[in-house]
Amino acid sequence: MKHPFINNKILMLYYGVFWLVIGVSNISIQYFWYETDLVSSSLSAFIYFVIYPVLGASIWFIIKYNSLEENELTWVLLYHLIGASILNAIWIYLGFISIKVIDSGNLHLLYDTLPGRVFSGYVMYVIFVLFFLAINYYQSLKEKIKKEAELKSLIREAELSALKSQINPHFLFNSLNSIASLTISFPEKAHEMVINLSRFMRYALQHDQDETVSLKDELENIKLYLSIEKVRFGKKLNPVFEVEESCHNFQIPNMILQPLYENAIKYGVYEATEPVSITTSCTTENGSMLIIIENDYDAESIRNRGEGIGLRNIRQRLELIYGTSELIRITDLKTSFKIELLLPKKIPA
């Protein structure tokens, strides 16, 4: 940790201005109230409020290298006593030189007030120690808060990364299996699926875990994902999009929607014998955007439907990004499954 005056020029300026004001006030009181001549009052103020503050700035180093965390209290007090004595000796000597050079006729005043000056020197030393301890505490607290914020950010990124890594491999595994099955029977479709899968994965990997993208870009990627799945399911999968123009530029977390469509296909399309529509609608109101994704499903084929890993991941991501998991609502309508996402316009920093 560097000297606070080196790190903070404004603090050093305030420090100088403070002692300047104190010095000028002291000169005024001595000159107008006690009728001390201007030279003597200015010289006294110079010794107390210029020389000592300059020397006192070095007290910070004594505090830094003799902290209670590294030394016993007895040794710390001894170091400060030695430091205060040395500083006092230098201060009194410089005061003696200043008086001798500027007004040698008042040297007797220094000798007459020497005990009081020594005592005041120790008192000022204690004041400076408290001052620098307060500054060190404030700086340490700021650094601690900063490090905690950085640590929380790293943890948050790690959690988001872990959640996202649970989504993509599952989809990738299914897609590769489908490509393998299509290679012999429908090589053209397999080729198309490989290209689309490559584009989809490139989109997923080029964004950070908590990066935001426009809804328009996210839906384009979703359509790419659905085109990959449509190769597997053919006419059974029928995606429908009803998105207002006002929603297109709305910023949302990257890849937050894909697990919802994966969930719809897993529980709706996969088990169905008839075509299944996955309808996506979007509206904006009062600075928020409502996204509704609804899909049909066969209630007979899925009797014990719980919240899958994709939905749990989304809840956790919303909690990490927005600070709440109440932005998603899931409704089972017995013949269809509806998911509503109400996302605010601004994502908390």
Side-chain angles (χ1 to χ4, degrees):
M1 186 185 296
K2 295 182 179 179
H3 196 291
F5 291 162
I6 297 176
N7 288 340
N8 195 333
K9 302 297 184 183
I10 295 179
L11 178 62
M12 183 170 63
L13 177 63
Y14 287 158
Y15 180 82
V17 170
F18 172 80
W19 288 111
L20 178 63
V21 171
I22 295 296
V24 171
S25 301
N26 182 268
I27 293 172
S28 301
I29 292 172
Q30 290 189 62
Y31 182 74
F32 292 107
W33 187 264
Y34 295 103
E35 297 181 351
T36 307
D37 64 275
L38 188 60
V39 174
S40 297
S41 58
S42 299
L43 187 57
S44 177
F46 175 77
I47 294 172
Y48 274 98
F49 307 116
V50 176
I51 295 179
Y52 200 98
V54 171
L55 294 174
S58 64
I59 295 174
W60 180 86
F61 294 102
I62 301 176
I63 296 173
K64 178 183 177 182
Y65 294 108
N66 298 283
S67 63
L68 286 171
E69 289 81 4
E70 300 175 357
N71 301 278
E72 295 181 3
L73 178 61
T74 304
W75 285 106
V76 171
L77 293 176
L78 179 60
Y79 291 145
H80 279 297
L81 180 60
I82 295 172
S85 300
I86 294 173
L87 195 69
N88 260 1
I90 297 173
W91 175 55
I92 291 172
Y93 176 74
L94 291 177
F96 173 81
I97 296 298
S98 301
I99 294 176
K100 188 174 182 180
V101 172
I102 299 173
D103 188 11
S104 59
N106 283 327
L107 278 176
H108 66 282
L109 295 176
L110 178 62
Y111 297 126
D112 294 340
T113 59
L114 185 60
R117 289 179 183 272
V118 172
F119 177 75
S120 62
Y122 281 106
V123 171
M124 291 181 71
Y125 182 91
V126 172
I127 293 173
F128 271 77
V129 167
L130 295 176
F131 169 70
F132 282 118
L133 283 176
I135 290 178
N136 281 359
Y137 176 78
Y138 175 71
Q139 288 184 333
S140 298
L141 184 62
K142 281 182 63 178
E143 290 181 4
K144 182 180 179 182
I145 293 173
K146 181 180 178 181
K147 288 180 180 179
E148 286 181 352
E150 291 174 352
L151 181 61
K152 287 180 180 178
S153 178
L154 289 174
I155 293 174
R156 179 170 175 267
E157 290 177 7
E159 288 176 337
L160 286 170
S161 179
L163 290 174
K164 196 171 178 183
S165 68
Q166 294 174 10
I167 298 170
N168 288 335
H170 181 260
F171 161 71
L172 182 61
F173 177 77
N174 288 338
S175 298
L176 291 176
N177 277 343
S178 297
I179 292 172
S181 64
L182 290 171
T183 302
I184 299 176
S185 55
F186 298 99
E188 297 83 4
K189 288 187 177 181
H191 177 72
E192 177 188 349
M193 196 170 180
V194 168
I195 294 175
N196 289 340
L197 179 62
S198 174
R199 290 172 57 193
F200 175 81
M201 295 305 297
R202 185 180 296 114
Y203 174 90
L205 294 173
Q206 73 183 359
H207 296 288
D208 293 334
Q209 308 303 327
D210 56 348
E211 183 180 348
T212 60
V213 295
S214 68
L215 179 67
K216 182 179 180 181
D217 290 341
E218 188 73 358
L219 288 181
E220 288 298 321
N221 188 58
I222 291 300
K223 291 175 182 178
L224 187 61
Y225 166 77
L226 292 175
S227 70
I228 296 171
E229 295 289 40
K230 195 168 180 61
V231 174
R232 294 172 60 199
F233 296 106
K235 294 181 180 180
K236 283 177 58 177
L237 174 59
N238 179 35
V240 179
F241 291 90
E242 300 171 353
V243 180
E244 292 183 356
E245 188 72 24
S246 59
C247 298
H248 285 171
N249 293 325
F250 212 98
Q251 296 294 307
I252 65 173
N254 169 44
M255 296 289 290
I256 197 73
L257 299 181
Q258 189 268 342
L260 300 180
Y261 292 92
E262 184 174 356
N263 191 72
I265 290 173
K266 178 179 179 181
Y267 292 105
V269 181
Y270 190 81
E271 299 289 343
T273 56
E274 300 294 328
V276 172
S277 295
I278 302 178
T279 304
T280 305
S281 61
C282 178
T283 57
T284 57
E285 184 178 354
N286 298 327
S288 297
M289 177 174 63
L290 177 62
I291 303 173
I292 300 176
I293 300 173
E294 186 173 358
N295 66 277
D296 305 328
Y297 78 92
D298 186 353
E300 294 298 323
S301 62
I302 306 175
R303 297 186 181 276
N304 298 314
R305 178 173 182 164
E307 187 172 282
I309 188 171
L311 294 178
R312 290 198 302 272
N313 283 347
I314 289 179
R315 285 191 185 278
Q316 293 176 44
R317 284 190 70 190
L318 291 174
E319 175 70 30
L320 289 168
I321 296 171
Y322 292 97
T324 176
S325 59
E326 301 301 319
L327 301 177
I328 184 171
R329 184 169 62 183
I330 303 170
T331 307
D332 189 348
L333 302 175
K334 303 306 178 184
T335 58
S336 65
F337 199 69
K338 182 167 72 172
I339 298 177
E340 298 172 276
L341 273 175
L342 183 63
L343 302 179
K345 187 171 185 179
K346 293 185 178 180
I347 296 178

